[in-house]
Amino acid sequence: MRRLSLLLGLGLLAGCAGGHPGKYVVFFTPNSAQLDAPAQTVISQAAQRAVANNAKVRVEGYAAASHDLSADELLAIDRAKIVARQLAVDGVDAGHITQQPRGPMNNEDGALASRRVEIEVGGH
């Protein structure tokens, strides 16, 4: 039941992200910085908005806390870099992109939330 509420909550978070045209969320599989097709789609949508508005973009990478916090921090950095790189490939001016890794999250309910990168287009 707890996992179901987490998934529903994250669904709402994704829904809010979709409802706010400047905020996008990319999810990763555990311990991975590989982009899958849904991630590519989200990044492409964010890039289109950024290019259309010549907007600044902030990319924030997250990772879960495990026994090796330095590896977790590196994973958050890698996730942000991969997304930023793909935004640039999709046409966003690299000078308009800032990256921010967020510290590892030590929260059982945040397992899915800690495998994400948030993209904010404009507004900062």
Side-chain angles (χ1 to χ4, degrees), residues 12-112:
L12 290 173
L13 173 65
C16 291
H20 184 282
K23 187 130 183 185
Y24 302 84
V25 181
V26 176
F27 291 99
F28 290 84
T29 57
N31 302 314
S32 172
Q34 297 292 329
L35 297 173
D36 58 14
Q40 294 273 0
T41 299
V42 171
I43 295 167
S44 177
Q45 291 170 350
Q48 288 173 9
R49 179 167 176 85
V51 169
N53 295 295
N54 194 30
K56 302 250 186 228
V57 179
R58 182 173 56 214
V59 177
E60 295 183 348
Y62 293 81
S66 67
H67 293 96
D68 188 350
L69 294 179
S70 61
D72 297 330
E73 187 172 358
L74 287 174
L75 181 57
I77 291 167
D78 286 346
R79 288 174 174 167
K81 282 183 181 180
I82 290 286
V83 170
R85 187 175 308 132
Q86 188 61 48
L87 285 164
V89 166
D90 289 347
V92 178
D93 182 340
H96 287 179
I97 303 170
T98 59
Q99 300 173 45
Q100 175 84 37
R102 294 294 179 192
M105 298 177 61
N106 191 10
N107 178 349
E108 180 182 319
D109 285 343
L112 183 58

